[in-house]
Amino acid sequence: MLPQDFTKRMEIMLGEEYEAFRISYEHERYQALRINVLKGDTGRFRQHFSHICLEAGQKEEGPVPVPWCSTGLYYPSEIRMGKHPYHEAGVYYIQEPSAMAPAEYLEAEPGERVLDLCGAPGGKSTQIAASMQGRGVLVCNEIHPVRAKILSENIERMGVRNAIVTNESPAVLSRIFVNYFDKIMVDAPCSGEGMFRKNPEARQEWSVENVGLCAERQAEILEAAAGMLKPGGRMVYSTCTFSPEENEGSISRFLHRHEEFYIEEVPLYEGMEPGNPEWCTQPADHIERTIRLWPHKVRGEGHFLAVLRKRGSTPEESSGSRYGVEKGILLKDCRECMEFCETYLKELPEGIPVRFGDTINILPAGAPSLHRLKVLRAGLRLGTVMKKRLEPSHSLALALKPEDVVYSVDLPAEDRRIFDYINGQTFEQQGEKGWYLVSVDGYSLGFGKLAGGIMKNHYPKGLRKILR
């Protein structure tokens, strides 16, 4: 049952279309995933995925693409894609199809400074990371500690090297970063009306009062984001709700306060519709350039987005982090790191080595100082110095490819040893003793250490599970 106050409002908004909208809630929601290009050759996965879909009875020839995301694919709901070794290897991210649109419109590029201000659980952050191809600085923030931890875990699983995961309020970040970012994603907390089909609990939590509270919170977040974006930069605002107060209304109120911003005109994909000025008491100029995704018109849930541009240009000296850039250490000064890298990696990792106690991380070049920031993940975690040697991290394993290392063992997805490995068990293997990158069909999964013909398991205990 949909909330009564919600249905009354939607009937007024949609008129003759309301019945089609209502009926959409009687249909099963669409399932989709996004291929992670950071893991290497996506062709192997596409072939394997096509076979899985056909076995599940999918009628279309080949995987069905998500129109607005080049790496997005629909899949039959009966397939348990979260229970496959490829999922643990970060080969794909299970993501609601409409939620893939905002990051595509952000158009993040390699080498840029990008902020995902409300990043959890990580779908948009990892999508942005894939667009950046490991180059540039990506700050992924989440104000709630538990959700920030989930965000950090997904950044790790997807093999992202250049992300800094922070647990701060937007207001704190805005005092540290002034005119700093080329692109900002604001996937704002909202009343979640677009998720009623996907998440029935959202229906129970909905109220007219909460819609108003969300709009107030969105205004605060947009204010913080405005000062962090470079003049000339792009910002994408998105919600998963239908409420005009949180969509066209939030954007209109923001633009009335900030004349330096305007709504960019961008192409719409089939089924998308422009925002409606009539749903605002004081619509901003070109509010019809905003975009709505309706569940009765696209293969996905409800979503809203606006692509904003900040006018002007900023001299480099007036753009940056309050505390400058991270200086780091010299990798050669950490004997254990150099010994591991020279023994097991074919190339030294690029970036700025930093040390936190016994842990060594590699930050992206040009990374801001982490001074006074609550940081959960600082770039790529190389490993931990233990007993005069480096214990490589799981993050490093997931960010590498078999061709990057000296020793590796590749197992097919159907091999029993892969399932045993993810469950924390050892397996027999011949070869030189030392650290091995364990991969599934060429996709890195974790580390193992070979000794005496036995591959000792170094898959993290907290991630071990039974997939079969």
Side-chain angles (χ1 to χ4, degrees):
M1 292 291 292
L2 296 172
Q4 188 174 16
D5 288 336
F6 168 76
T7 57
K8 286 180 180 179
R9 191 195 70 210
M10 297 308 298
E11 284 187 76
I12 295 171
M13 287 173 60
L14 293 176
E16 294 180 355
E17 286 189 24
Y18 174 74
E19 187 60 19
F21 170 80
R22 185 193 64 78
I23 292 174
S24 71
Y25 285 88
E26 299 175 2
H27 300 156
E28 192 175 75
R29 67 184 179 93
Y30 292 95
Q31 302 279 359
L33 56 81
R34 180 175 42 78
I35 302 173
N36 181 18
V37 297
L38 296 178
K39 295 299 288 192
D41 179 18
T42 63
R44 291 194 303 271
F45 172 72
R46 287 181 182 272
Q47 290 179 353
H48 185 80
F49 182 66
S50 179
H51 179 68
I52 291 175
C53 290
L54 288 173
E55 281 189 336
Q58 181 172 289
K59 296 179 181 179
E60 294 91 345
E61 291 185 9
V64 179
V66 176
W68 44 85
C69 180
S70 61
T71 54
L73 298 171
Y74 293 99
Y75 66 88
S77 58
E78 56 267 30
I79 301 177
R80 301 170 68 194
M81 294 304 298
K83 292 288 188 179
H84 195 284
Y86 284 0
H87 181 266
E88 306 309 306
V91 181
Y92 54 83
Y93 189 102
I94 297 173
Q95 190 172 9
E96 199 283 307
S98 294
M100 298 179 191
E104 289 295 308
Y105 279 103
L106 188 66
E107 295 183 356
E109 296 182 3
E112 291 184 325
R113 297 171 176 174
V114 183
L115 168 66
D116 187 0
L117 189 51
C118 313
K124 294 176 178 65
S125 288
T126 56
Q127 190 174 355
I128 293 167
S131 297
M132 296 177 72
Q133 299 174 28
R135 302 196 298 276
V137 177
L138 172 60
V139 177
C140 308
N141 182 68
E142 174 56 47
I143 190 172
H144 299 289
V146 174
R147 287 171 56 80
K149 184 174 183 292
I150 295 170
L151 169 62
S152 181
E153 290 169 352
N154 279 320
I155 289 290
E156 175 180 80
R157 182 173 64 86
M158 302 300 277
V160 179
R161 294 170 177 256
N162 62 322
I164 299 169
V165 179
T166 58
N167 173 214
E168 294 284 5
S169 70
V172 167
L173 291 181
S174 69
R175 292 194 289 269
I176 294 174
F177 299 102
V178 179
N179 296 329
Y180 182 84
F181 294 101
D182 299 291
K183 307 276 175 66
I184 297 180
M185 169 64 66
V186 180
D187 184 38
C190 67
S191 56
E193 296 169 357
M195 295 294 107
F196 282 175
R197 179 166 59 173
K198 177 183 176 183
N199 181 13
E201 291 181 3
R203 307 179 192 182
Q204 301 171 4
E205 297 171 358
W206 184 91
S207 69
V208 173
E209 293 75 20
N210 190 43
V211 169
L213 290 172
C214 288
E216 292 176 8
R217 186 160 56 240
Q218 290 153 7
E220 295 172 0
I221 293 170
L222 282 168
E223 283 299 313
M228 291 190 279
L229 186 68
K230 285 183 179 180
R234 170 178 279 200
M235 178 163 67
V236 171
Y237 171 86
S238 69
T239 72
C240 57
T241 198
F242 304 114
S243 163
E245 187 175 353
E246 302 174 69
N247 294 336
E248 291 94 343
S250 281
I251 291 300
S252 291
R253 291 187 293 273
F254 172 76
L255 293 178
H256 290 321
R257 296 191 303 271
H258 291 274
E259 294 182 354
E260 73 273 25
F261 281 85
Y262 65 93
I263 305 173
E264 280 199 281
E265 187 172 12
V266 293
L268 275 63
Y269 291 86
E270 184 178 355
M272 292 182 177
E273 290 201 342
N276 192 334
E278 296 181 2
W279 294 338
C280 291
T281 53
Q282 292 182 303
D285 290 342
H286 306 300
I287 198 68
E288 71 280 358
R289 291 179 179 175
T290 60
I291 301 172
R292 280 183 173 268
L293 288 79
W294 297 96
H296 61 294
K297 294 194 172 183
V298 300
R299 298 178 66 169
E301 304 305 312
H303 232 78
F304 171 89
L305 67 94
V307 182
L308 306 175
R309 180 73 69 176
K310 191 175 185 180
R311 294 182 174 91
S313 59
T314 304
E316 194 61 34
E317 61 268 19
S318 63
S319 169
S321 167
R322 180 178 180 181
Y323 302 110
V325 297
E326 189 66 46
K327 296 178 181 179
I329 63 172
L330 295 175
L331 197 60
K332 65 180 181 180
D333 290 339
C334 180
R335 180 185 59 79
E336 296 88 351
C337 286
M338 286 301 296
E339 184 177 289
F340 175 86
C341 292
E342 291 176 347
T343 304
Y344 296 109
L345 304 183
K346 293 183 180 178
E347 291 184 0
L348 293 177
E350 295 182 359
I352 306 167
V354 290
R355 186 161 189 159
F356 304 98
D358 291 330
T359 301
I360 309 297
N361 288 35
I362 305 292
L363 282 169
S369 169
L370 306 182
H371 183 60
R372 295 189 181 180
L373 279 173
K374 296 177 186 174
V375 178
L376 276 71
R377 183 169 297 275
L380 177 64
R381 188 172 298 159
L382 192 62
T384 304
V385 177
M386 300 173 62
K387 300 178 181 179
K388 296 183 179 181
R389 60 178 175 81
L390 185 80
E391 183 97 1
S393 75
H394 189 57
S395 300
L396 176 62
L398 289 168
L400 292 171
K401 300 179 181 66
E403 57 266 30
D404 297 329
V405 300
V406 175
Y407 302 127
S408 64
V409 55
D410 187 42
L411 303 172
E414 297 78 16
D415 195 307
R416 176 186 55 80
R417 290 173 294 175
I418 279 291
F419 294 89
D420 289 344
Y421 174 75
I422 293 173
N423 193 26
Q425 300 178 39
T426 61
F427 59 86
E428 295 182 359
Q429 183 68 35
Q430 298 301 314
E432 297 289 330
K433 69 176 182 179
W435 289 101
Y436 279 69
L437 185 67
V438 180
S439 59
V440 50
D441 291 336
Y443 300 114
S444 60
L445 187 59
F447 278 120
K449 196 170 187 181
L450 187 62
I454 299 296
M455 186 68 72
K456 296 180 180 179
N457 197 306
H458 282 265
Y459 199 74
K461 291 182 180 179
L463 299 178
R464 294 175 184 179
K465 61 184 67 174
I466 299 174
L467 293 183
R468 281 182 168 174

